């Protein structure tokens, strides 16, 4: 192979692996537009964006955690707890900024527990956040004795207001997307997160404080979850202790479809946003064309399976390539 | 009288990319005898044993078991031919009981596939009594000592009708007292007509149990003779008779002041009471056989593992190393022996790997100064001569030599005072090796110092100003450049004076 050809193949490979998700998104968009004439209407598109905003904000938290080799199953429950607290304090004080801060704080508080369990007790993130999932949901139900909080007044601004023609939750979603992108690409924390998820031992041996990065990732996730919580309560016009059940599933789906690798160290904010829209478009078009709602679940599950197969195959290719160099690692060591 | 050959290999050769691991090996084990295989680190002992055990496939040559030519594709086939391997590091399932471990893979069953525990219990008790092992059949493996596990492994091999037992440095992980038990067992096996291959580099053991000795060096059997025709001197001389090769880019550099003084440094495992010093512009080497405690020592020095005691003085001032951050702050950095595990984030690109330890320098005013970072990476990669299509290339796609240079670039960006290199040339090709040596010379000519751990004596002799030799976790010798010789180092490394 000539060097020129090799180089252009290399570039193609990079484009393929880096931008294939956006290609899928565009194709999907065009197909939806062809399938149903209502799809392209501004109202429908604004609706899709508003609908996916809550789970997409959760998905950005998951993206950060998965890149760092962790995950959060508790986000659906913590979202309910933090959202409730936000509503409750709003009803007490009538202050939107206070309600906002309270929501974020409680999201972070539960995730501090997640982080401590993972970091200091070495609990696998799956188990640690499963425990918090139960605790946070139980606490939310305990707090309201299982009842919903109604008459939330101006609190609805978060979820139902709009600035110009853009719904407030969509603005928040875009804001969180930008923050996630900024964290991942323009901060030491983000770079360290990729390293911790890609190879924790190497990160530690490079002088990175792994514990601080892990706890930090959970805290940021917590703020995102808290925000998602108050947006959801505001959208549904009530404080619901039972809100957000199964949202962790939606959030993980968006992150995985967006190319975040479950073995850690790989993922982007743009990918997750694209993943969320792919799921959003899919849900929307299936509703518009009247696909049976049970069948919808089957299709969504199948798409996750496809995304995972794609991820694993891409990874196998990568590691095979990695063995191409001069390498007989471990040989001298084993023949002691 | 010619004894029957249980196992014979003829003209075995094996290559790995870039190295010839074994060349034209002929080797045999007779019934009722112990054949000791000895050689330096990397001589090819384990490779040969892995071929016999079916883990590796030989490029050419034949294997005969009991006079019949056989094709050993995997360890299961080896087992069925009566070959059993006792590994240096035993793999076991901690929660398994003694009886389960003996019968695993061949559990007797009753009707409907129910496991026949009664038979198992009965046979286990009988077997343990016959072999003189005082364990309860229901003891869990995690409650046994390493020596017990080894005995159990041997018992299991015999129970599974093994005729040929291959033991890879079995005494390295057990205490002196337990070694006696092991040797008694080996005597017992010999008298029962088993053939034993015993891999070791401990002289006292070799001469105690061997019937025959083979010496392996750089993939070639140098000599095979009955024990009586050898003595310690001849064995050592044959083990180390490696070509030195005169092409090391070593330059004489005037040594500066003492930079680092280590006294009574003791680790939680692996080494105790280590004393040494290092001067500006100096390369010191740590020689020793596998398990001597060299890697443990440098890991603790770098803060990767905790240490229990001792003091470190940098320019006469005492420093505390509790973690890697501490040592980096003090200008001490380390290139690990296992770069894939401790050196690199393989799935990320060159740039991210190179600046991993220096990120905070590029983070100002709330964001990473990417342009400045790129320039720094380009510059250090040019200096270390990393060959990569671009700094955005994924590290896993590069060759071993270039990967090693990326780790080196990462640390050179720190501008360290002391560079610890643990097996810096392991697994990289000859050209890249030479470049690493040249970089080492350049680095010390700037007044920095290097601590080099290596299992390759020629490279230590070629590059170091002084060599400390370790054995059993202690420093057993210190040699100035003028006194360097492979024999001397090997003697210290074997713990002989």
């Amino acid at each position: 192979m000539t060097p020129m050809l090799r180089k252009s193949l290399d570039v193609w490979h990079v484009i393929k692996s880096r931008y294939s998700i956006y290609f899928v998104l565009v194709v999907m968009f065009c197909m939806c537009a062809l399938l149903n004439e209502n799809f392209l209407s501004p109202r429908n598109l604004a609706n899709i964006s508003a609908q996916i905003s809550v789970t997409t904000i959760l998905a950005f938290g998951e993206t950060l955690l998965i890149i760092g080799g962790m995950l959060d199953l508790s986000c659906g429950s913590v979202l309910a707890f933090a959202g409730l607290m936000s509503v409750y304090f709003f009803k007490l004080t009538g202050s939107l900024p206070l309600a906002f801060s309270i929501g974020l704080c409680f999201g972070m508080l539960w995730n501090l527990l997640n982080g401590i369990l993972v970091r200091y007790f070495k609990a696998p993130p799956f188990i640690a956040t499963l425990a918090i999932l139960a605790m946070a949901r139980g606490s939310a139900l305990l707090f309201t004795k299982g009842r919903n909080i109604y008459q939330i007044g101006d609190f609805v601004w978060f979820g139902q207001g709009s600035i110009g023609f853009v719904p407030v939750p969509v603005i928040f979603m875009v804001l969180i997307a930008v923050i996630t992108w900024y964290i991942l690409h323009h901060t030491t924390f983000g770079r360290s997160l990729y390293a911790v998820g890609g190879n924790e031992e190497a990160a530690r041996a490079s002088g990175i404080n792994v514990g601080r990065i892990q706890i930090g990732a959970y805290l940021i996730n917590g703020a995102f979850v808290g925000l998602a919580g108050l947006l959801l309560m505001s959208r549904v016009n009530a404080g619901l202790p039972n809100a957000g059940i199964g949202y962790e599933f939606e959030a993980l789906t968006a992150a995985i479809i967006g190319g975040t690798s479950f073995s850690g160290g790989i993922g982007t904010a743009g990918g997750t946003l694209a993943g969320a829209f792919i799921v959003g478009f899919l849900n929307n078009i299936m509703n518009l064309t009247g696909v049976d709602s049970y069948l919808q679940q089957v299709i969504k599950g199948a798409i996750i399976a496809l995304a995972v197969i794609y991820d694993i195959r891409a990874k196998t290719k990568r590691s095979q390539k990695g063995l191409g160099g001069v390498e007989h690692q471990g040989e001298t060591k084993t023949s002691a | 009288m010619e004894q029957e050959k249980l196992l014979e290999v003829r003209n075995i050769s094996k290559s790995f990319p870039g190295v010839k691991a074994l060349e034209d090996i002929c080797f045999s084990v007779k019934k009722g005898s112990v054949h000791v295989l000895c050689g330096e680190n990397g001589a090819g002992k384990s490779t040969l044993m892995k071929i016999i055990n079916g883990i590796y496939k030989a490029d050419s040559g034949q294997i005969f078991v009991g006079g019949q030519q056989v094709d050993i594709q995997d360890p299961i086939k080896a087992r069925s031919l009566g070959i059993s391997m006792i590994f240096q590091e035993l793999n076991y399932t901690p929660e398994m009981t003694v009886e389960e471990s003996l019968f695993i893979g061949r559990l007797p069953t009753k009707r409907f596939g129910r496991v026949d525990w009664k038979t198992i219990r009965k046979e286990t008790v009988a077997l343990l009594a016959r072999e003189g092992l005082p364990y309860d059949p229901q003891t869990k493996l995690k409650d046994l000592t390493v020596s017990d596990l080894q005995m159990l492994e041997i018992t299991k091999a015999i129970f599974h009708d093994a005729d040929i037992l291959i033991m890879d440095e079995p005494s390295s992980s057990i205490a002196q007292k337990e070694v006696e038990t092991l040797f008694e067992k080996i005597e017992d096996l010999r008298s029962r007509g088993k053939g034993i291959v015993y891999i070791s580099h401990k002289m006292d053991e070799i001469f105690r149990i061997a019937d025959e000795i083979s010496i392996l060096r750089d993939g070639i059997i140098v000599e095979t003779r009955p024990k009586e025709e050898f003595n310690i001197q001849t064995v050592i001389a044959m083990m180390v008779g490696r070509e030195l090769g005169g092409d090391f880019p070593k330059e004489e550099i005037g040594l500066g002041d003492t930079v680092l003084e280590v006294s009574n440094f003791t680790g939680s495992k692996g080494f105790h009471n280590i004393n040494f010093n290092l001067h500006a512009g100096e390369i010191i080497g740590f020689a020793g056989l596998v398990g001597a405690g060299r890697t443990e020592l440098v890991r603790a020095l770098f803060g990767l593992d905790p240490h229990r005691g001792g003091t470190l003085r940098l320019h006469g001032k005492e420093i505390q190393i509790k973690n890697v951050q501490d040592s980096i702050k003090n200008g001490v950095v380390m290139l690990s022996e296992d770069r894939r595990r401790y050196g690199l984030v393989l799935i990320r690109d060159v740039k991210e790997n190179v600046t991993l330890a220096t990120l905070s320098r590029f983070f100002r005013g709330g964001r990473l100064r990417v342009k400045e970072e790129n320039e720094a990476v380009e510059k250090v990669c040019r200096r270390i001569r990393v060959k990569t299509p671009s700094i955005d290339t994924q590290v896993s796609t590069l060759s071993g030599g270039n990967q090693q240079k990326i780790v080196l670039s990462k640390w050179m960006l720190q501008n360290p005072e002391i560079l610890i290199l643990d097996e810096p040339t392991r697994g990289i090709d000859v050209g890249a090796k030479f470049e690493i040596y040249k970089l080492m010379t350049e680095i010390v000519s700037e007044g920095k110092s290097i601590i080099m751990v290596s299992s390759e004596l020629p490279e230590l002799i070629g590059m170091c100003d002084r060599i400390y030799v370790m054995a059993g976790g202690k420093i057993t010798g210190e040699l100035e450049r003028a006194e360097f010789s492979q024999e001397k180092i090997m003697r210290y490394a074997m713990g002989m004076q």
Side-chain angles (χ1 to χ4, degrees), chain A residues 2 17 30-31 43 64 79 126 144 153 162 169 187 195-196 206 301 332:
Chain A
T2 65
S17 65
C30 297
M31 274 171 57
R43 242 191 79 197
L64 290 175
L79 164 150
F126 188 93
T144 65
S162 56
T187 67
V196 169
S206 299
T332 39

Side-chain angles (χ1 to χ4, degrees), chain B residues 95-358:
Chain B
E95 292 293 331
M96 212 181 240
T97 62
V98 167
E99 56 184 5
E100 282 166 349
S101 96
L102 285 170
F103 278 87
I104 192 79
R106 43 159 68 184
L107 291 167
T109 49
K110 294 196 288 203
R111 266 204 308 168
F112 306 125
R114 273 198 304 141
V115 173
D116 185 0
W117 288 111
K118 235 169 151 178
T119 312
I120 291 177
R121 178 69 47 83
K122 217 168 65 201
E123 284 193 35
T124 304
V125 170
L127 180 70
L128 292 177
R130 199 157 66 235
E131 299 293 330
L133 299 177
Y135 319 136
D136 183 88
Q138 283 197 292
T139 310
K140 287 190 173 168
L141 296 190
K142 65 176 178 189
D143 298 324
L144 295 179
T145 66
V146 177
S147 162
D148 287 336
L149 286 168
Q150 215 168 50
M151 284 300 162
L152 191 64
E153 200 65 22
I154 294 170
T155 306
K156 190 168 146 188
I158 296 164
F159 178 55
H160 290 201
D161 303 316
D163 291 319
I164 303 147
L165 281 98
I166 300 169
M167 302 185 190
D168 189 1
E169 299 192 43
S171 65
S172 62
S173 50
I174 58 178
Q176 192 57 43
K177 204 168 72 233
E178 297 162 339
V179 174
E180 286 307 314
T181 325
L182 176 68
F183 283 179
E184 279 165 27
K185 189 86 218 166
I186 291 176
E187 294 286 346
D188 173 42
L189 294 173
R190 171 157 55 194
S191 65
R192 283 152 70 174
K194 308 279 181 200
I196 292 149
V197 180
Y198 190 96
I199 299 176
S200 177
H201 46 232
K202 293 185 184 158
M203 287 300 145
D204 48 341
E205 293 181 3
I206 294 172
F207 281 94
R208 194 168 142 199
I209 59 162
D211 293 304
E212 275 183 297
I213 299 175
S214 282
I215 292 157
L216 198 59
R217 185 216 307 155
D218 293 338
I220 296 167
I221 297 251
V222 189
E223 195 68 74
T224 300
R225 283 190 219 162
K227 170 177 71 176
E228 292 73 29
E229 296 175 28
F230 275 114
N231 61 41
I232 292 180
Q233 272 69 30
T234 52
V235 170
I236 291 181
M238 283 179 188
M239 276 169 70
V240 299
R242 242 183 211 184
E243 284 298 313
L244 266 185
D247 50 349
F248 285 95
K250 173 80 181 162
E251 282 168 28
E252 287 303 319
I253 291 155
L255 295 189
D257 300 333
T258 306
V259 178
L260 180 73
E261 258 184 286
V262 174
S263 34
N264 296 320
F265 199 52
T266 300
S268 42
K269 64 169 201 282
F271 63 92
H272 15 256
N273 284 324
I274 300 292
N275 295 286
F276 73 90
N277 56 52
L278 177 66
H279 301 90
E282 189 177 35
I283 302 178
I284 62 169
F286 278 88
L289 296 162
V290 167
R294 299 166 301 163
T295 293
E296 288 82 351
L297 169 65
V298 291
R299 279 177 64 93
L301 215 51
F302 183 52
L304 260 182
D305 293 332
H307 58 268
R308 267 205 326 231
T311 52
L312 303 172
R313 280 199 178 77
L314 194 69
H315 295 299
K317 227 182 89 211
E318 191 169 331
I319 56 167
Q320 299 293 335
I321 304 276
K322 288 204 190 66
N323 51 36
V324 177
Q325 285 102 303
D326 287 345
S327 75
I328 292 178
K329 209 170 59 212
N330 283 303
V332 181
V333 302
M334 182 174 90
L335 190 117
S336 157
E337 56 162 350
D338 191 347
R339 67 173 165 270
R340 284 165 165 267
R341 184 149 173 218
Y342 296 104
L344 297 163
V345 185
L346 286 164
I347 54 170
R348 304 305 300 181
D349 61 27
V350 172
K351 178 176 102 178
E352 287 182 28
N353 272 284
V354 169
T355 54
L356 196 52
T358 9

Side-chain angles (χ1 to χ4, degrees), chain B residues 474-490:
Chain B
K474 292 195 181 81
I475 290 184
T476 50
E478 179 188 347
L479 297 164
E480 296 289 333
R481 192 165 171 83
E483 320 168 72
F484 287 177
S485 84
Q486 297 197 61
E487 282 82 0
K488 264 190 204 155
I489 294 171
M490 198 45 91

Side-chain angles (χ1 to χ4, degrees), chain A residues 182 191 201 265 322 331 334-335, chain B residues 42 46-47 341 348 366 373 396:
Chain A
Y182 190 85
R191 284 289 185 76
E201 304 252 35
E331 179 41 35
T334 47
S335 49
Chain B
S46 296
T47 308
R341 184 149 173 218
R348 304 305 300 181
E373 185 192 1
S396 65

Side-chain angles (χ1 to χ4, degrees), chain B residues 259-260 278 282-284 298 301-302 330-336 383-384 407-422 424 436 439-444 448-453:
Chain B
V259 178
L260 180 73
L278 177 66
E282 189 177 35
I283 302 178
I284 62 169
V298 291
L301 215 51
F302 183 52
N330 283 303
V332 181
V333 302
M334 182 174 90
L335 190 117
S336 157
R383 183 178 159 208
I384 308 295
V407 186
L408 200 57
S409 302
K410 169 171 77 182
W411 292 127
M412 289 319 288
L413 210 54
Q414 276 286 345
N415 199 19
E417 201 163 355
I418 297 170
L419 189 60
I420 303 170
L421 305 175
D422 193 358
I436 300 266
L439 288 166
M440 287 172 67
T441 307
E442 285 171 28
I443 290 164
V444 289
K448 304 180 192 310
S449 315
I450 291 177
I451 299 173
M452 180 185 190
V453 173

